[in-house]
Amino acid sequence: MKLETINKLCCPFDQEDLKLTIITKDIQENIVEGVLVCSSCKRVYPIVSGIPIMSPDEYREFKLEQPLLERLTKEKVSDNFRLM
């Protein structure tokens, strides 16, 4: 994902800005792995293989995402995909 794409994204639930934490980039400086966090509701969206996972909660599987989210954020994430 290109860095300038972040400026076009917002939280799909409350339309607030997202804070980006970059974990890894490729040689073209594209984001390969990272995490987006909503500044208002604290909802967490992982970036996996350059793709932000911003699906509605009912289409996400917390038990599958939990290890990834906690590794990327280094914080505890609740089962409603929010930082604790």
Side-chain angles (χ1 to χ4, degrees), residues 57 60-63 66 76-82 84:
D57 292 350
R60 294 172 73 182
E61 194 67 44
F62 179 72
K63 289 184 181 188
Q66 183 180 17
K76 194 80 170 150
V77 178
S78 69
D79 61 355
N80 61 358
F81 301 100
R82 290 181 174 88
M84 295 176 99

Side-chain angles (χ1 to χ4, degrees), residues 19-20 25-26 38 40 66 68 83-84:
K19 179 182 175 241
L20 170 66
K25 292 183 183 181
D26 63 11
C38 176
S40 176
Q66 183 180 17
L68 173 68
L83 293 178
M84 295 176 99

Side-chain angles (χ1 to χ4, degrees), residues 18-63:
L18 298 169
K19 179 182 175 241
L20 170 66
T21 302
I22 299 171
I23 307 298
T24 57
K25 292 183 183 181
D26 63 11
I27 20 180
Q28 288 89 23
E29 295 295 309
N30 294 320
I31 301 165
V32 175
E33 192 175 54
V35 67
L36 298 164
V37 178
C38 176
S39 57
S40 176
C41 68
K42 304 296 183 214
R43 190 174 259 109
V44 180
Y45 306 102
I47 300 171
V48 180
S49 299
I51 301 169
I53 309 302
M54 299 179 76
S55 302
D57 292 350
E58 58 267 16
Y59 297 114
R60 294 172 73 182
E61 194 67 44
F62 179 72
K63 289 184 181 188

